[in-house]
Amino acid sequence: MSRILLSPPHMSDAAREFLLDAFDSNWVAPMGPHVDALEIEFAALLRREHAVALSSGTAALHLALVMLGIEAGDEVYTSTLTFAATANSVRYTAATPVFVDSEPSSWNMDPDLLAEALAMASRENRLPKAVLVVDLYGQCADYGRILPICARYDVPVVEDAAESLGAYYKGQPAGAFGDMAACSFNGNKIITAGGGGMLATSRRSHAERARFLATQARDPAPHYEHSTLGFNYRMSNLIAAIGRGQVQVLRDRVAARRANNAFYRSALSNVPGIDFMPEIKDGDSTFWLTVITVEPEAFGASRDDIYQHLAENDIESRPAWKPMHLQPVYAGCQYIGRGVADDIFRRGLCLPSGSNLTSRDLEAVVEQIVHTPRAVQGAA
Ligand SMILES: Cc1ncc(COP(=O)(O)O)c(C=O)c1O
């Protein structure tokens, strides 16, 4: 049996056809008909007025912060439990990230902690310039609470929807929340174009500014004139072609990942010491990744023991994200929290979750988890 991967690409016939069309048309450039079409189709998918196709999700996050005027000396509050790209985008603007802990019920930014922190910052007259909220592992944050809290202090919200494309919260799609949202087509995402990202916004001025900045901020002149610092962040027409073919199968991919999650939940339901990332009441997660937590005393082995045992049996898994406030590169940054993300990091393990896993693959993962050698004293 071949190695079982965490979240491999799952292409579609439409993606192949669009890619060949782009190639044959010789639109092999960071512009072209597939870029234009993908932007229109994506905006409709996210129920936004505008979507700007970019080279990565990280580029989308960075541009969003640049357009909010964030610069050195500013603070941006963001989720501590995330991939480094989120926090890095803050650093690219030379602003300082302040890390907010997760709530146990969604693993996303804790609205109570955010409310307390903003109230105190307001009293001290040092409100952040933005709040950058992450939707973790396929699940939207609690925007029903987060957005009104931020609106009270007039602090703009950017949604990092890189991991949550296809999810819903109170009937609204991931990517529809906040002033701007970033999506990703990285190779491990629910749909992928091998790379690429999208900035979604409801404001025309933001979309126009993003396109301008992403193409090296070229002023209107026959020669190359630049009065603003720009970036090379536009998406290739080849990538956009693949992306269009992938958007067509997003619903199927969500259904497959949710079915994986349901299988794991039912197959491991009677195993003591294994629990699952919760799904919030108002949300429909895609379960981009299925994440378990391991209680070593009850299970008889630790998260690391399971990880090791799976690896020895050709199964890829991955510890939950190491929170940003524990990362050496962010040492010294402020952290507001109660240790929830620390605990998820210590005990969380992402299981193979690809939409192209077979039922034999899923059964093999469960079988190896259950047969992890028990090493912990006092085990059940
Ligand atoms: C939460 C989160 N934010 C941002 C990104 C960055 O996206 P990209 O890889 O497209 O730059 C990723 C993943 O790659 C992510 O998981």
Side-chain angles (χ1 to χ4, degrees):
M1 212 158 94
S2 57
R3 188 166 156 75
I4 300 175
L5 298 171
L6 190 78
S7 183
H10 186 182
M11 287 296 110
S12 60
D13 291 342
R16 190 167 189 279
E17 278 161 32
F18 281 132
L19 174 62
L20 291 175
D21 173 76
F23 187 92
D24 293 342
S25 70
N26 210 32
W27 273 106
V28 184
M31 62 170 81
H34 288 291
V35 173
D36 299 342
L38 180 65
E39 289 184 341
I40 291 166
E41 289 158 8
F42 216 78
L45 183 72
L46 267 44
R47 301 191 203 149
R48 292 272 200 179
E49 296 297 314
H50 308 277
V52 181
L54 298 170
S55 53
S56 69
T58 310
L61 289 172
H62 183 202
L63 273 193
L65 298 177
V66 167
M67 284 189 295
L68 292 173
I70 289 160
E71 56 189 16
D74 293 334
E75 282 186 346
V76 174
Y77 290 7
T78 190
S79 315
T80 193
L81 191 61
T82 184
F83 178 54
T86 314
N88 290 350
S89 71
V90 177
R91 266 284 165 81
Y92 297 159
T93 67
T96 305
V98 172
F99 298 115
V100 183
D101 202 3
S102 303
E103 58 172 353
S105 55
S106 73
W107 294 10
N108 284 315
M109 186 183 282
D110 184 328
D112 291 330
L113 286 178
L114 178 66
E116 283 167 30
L118 287 179
M120 187 184 292
S122 170
R123 282 196 297 276
E124 294 171 359
N125 206 17
R126 48 169 193 82
L127 280 167
K129 270 285 181 69
V131 176
L132 173 49
V133 184
V134 178
D135 301 339
L136 206 63
Y137 296 130
Q139 166 152 281
C140 289
D142 191 353
Y143 291 105
R145 299 192 55 210
I146 289 173
L147 294 180
I149 292 166
C150 293
R152 193 179 311 152
Y153 300 99
D154 213 11
V155 178
V157 173
V158 176
E159 179 188 6
D160 181 347
E163 297 183 5
S164 63
L165 185 62
Y168 283 83
Y169 174 85
K170 290 191 176 170
Q172 288 279 73
F177 300 97
D179 294 70
M180 285 175 268
C183 299
S184 167
F185 302 120
N186 194 349
N188 62 7
K189 294 298 183 286
I190 193 156
I191 58 170
T192 181
M198 197 62 87
L199 180 74
T201 172
S202 300
R203 285 181 40 189
R204 173 180 294 278
S205 59
H206 276 152
E208 284 171 356
R209 185 85 183 147
R211 289 196 183 95
F212 170 71
L213 291 172
T215 38
Q216 301 288 22
R218 190 180 164 198
D219 295 334
H223 60 278
Y224 281 78
E225 179 84 8
H226 305 273
S227 47
T228 310
L229 184 66
F231 309 91
N232 179 9
Y233 277 173
R234 283 296 263 161
M235 180 186 277
S236 151
N237 192 54
L238 297 179
I239 295 288
I242 301 174
R244 289 185 71 199
Q246 286 275 281
V247 166
Q248 290 186 0
V249 293
L250 176 61
R251 263 167 176 269
D252 298 345
R253 302 303 186 247
V254 172
R257 292 202 187 230
R258 284 193 65 91
N260 291 341
N261 186 270
F263 175 85
Y264 283 131
R265 276 180 198 267
S266 98
L268 293 168
S269 62
N270 293 327
V271 180
I274 301 277
D275 226 322
F276 286 81
M277 177 182 180
E279 186 174 26
I280 49 167
K281 189 169 56 59
D282 292 318
D284 298 301
S285 174
T286 65
F287 294 117
W288 167 58
L289 296 184
T290 285
V291 194
I292 56 169
T293 52
V294 184
E295 192 56 70
E297 262 66 51
F299 179 69
S302 68
R303 183 275 308 274
D304 291 344
D305 294 330
I306 298 180
Y307 169 84
Q308 194 56 40
H309 182 70
L310 291 178
E312 282 161 11
N313 286 280
D314 261 350
I315 297 171
E316 185 184 24
S317 64
R318 186 203 281 155
W321 296 128
K322 181 172 182 176
M324 291 303 114
H325 72 275
L326 300 179
Q327 296 286 358
V329 68
Y330 290 112
C333 287
Q334 197 190 338
Y335 158 69
I336 300 164
R338 309 181 174 116
V340 173
D342 299 51
D343 182 55
I344 294 168
F345 165 57
R346 261 192 306 274
R347 301 192 300 111
L349 188 67
C350 306
L351 300 183
S353 302
S355 46
N356 41 11
L357 286 174
T358 64
S359 34
R360 277 189 61 194
D361 292 334
L362 291 164
E363 280 158 17
V365 176
V366 167
E367 161 122 357
Q368 293 307 336
I369 290 173
V370 170
H371 287 107
T372 301
R374 304 305 204 262
V376 176
Q377 294 297 318

